[in-house]
């Protein structure tokens, strides 16, 4: 049996609930990245994974340009906050 402390992630991207989605996008460094949302006392408020975040994007069509413009317009914008999407 392998102890959890050997396989668990210990490094997380820490952000605040009032941070924007734009800041989150530029903070993600790789596909496996997860962000934790904390308050002023470092109390965990929520989690956002890259996989969870990608569900807010419209899948690209053939020859379309992928970027922030592909955000589902009715749900989010660049200025939406992490409070709007955290789990």
């Amino acid at each position: 049996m392998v102890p959890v402390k050997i396989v668990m992630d210990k490094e997380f991207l820490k952000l605040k609930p009032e941070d924007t989605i734009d800041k989150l996008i530029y903070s993600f460094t790789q596909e496996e990245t997860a962000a934790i949302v904390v308050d002023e006392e470092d109390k965990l408020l929520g989690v956002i994974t890259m996989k969870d975040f990608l569900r807010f994007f419209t899948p690209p069509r053939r020859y379309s340009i992928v970027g922030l413009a592909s955000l589902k317009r009715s749900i989010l914008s660049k200025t939406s906050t992490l409070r709007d999407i955290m789990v």
Side-chain angles (χ1 to χ4, degrees):
M1 190 178 302
V2 177
V4 173
K5 69 180 183 178
I6 291 175
V7 296
M8 70 182 196
D9 285 333
K10 296 175 186 167
E11 298 293 321
F12 291 96
L13 172 62
K14 279 188 187 179
L15 297 167
K16 302 289 183 197
E18 61 274 1
D19 287 337
T20 63
I21 289 174
D22 200 34
K23 181 174 182 173
L24 174 69
I25 290 169
Y26 290 106
S27 298
F28 273 146
T29 57
Q30 58 189 2
E31 188 176 327
E32 297 296 320
T33 300
I36 59 170
V37 182
V38 296
D39 65 11
E40 297 302 321
E41 290 93 36
D42 272 349
K43 179 181 173 188
L44 177 66
L45 300 175
V47 177
I48 303 167
T49 65
M50 179 66 83
K51 184 177 178 181
D52 292 334
F53 180 65
L54 288 176
R55 71 185 171 94
F56 293 103
F57 286 83
T58 304
R61 288 172 276 147
R62 191 174 186 165
Y63 305 118
S64 66
I65 297 173
V66 178
L68 289 177
S70 64
L71 275 172
K72 293 179 181 174
R73 286 173 179 71
S74 61
I75 298 173
L76 300 173
S77 72
K78 279 176 46 172
T79 58
S80 296
T81 65
L82 301 186
R83 183 178 282 111
D84 299 328
I85 64 168
M86 67 185 188
V87 177

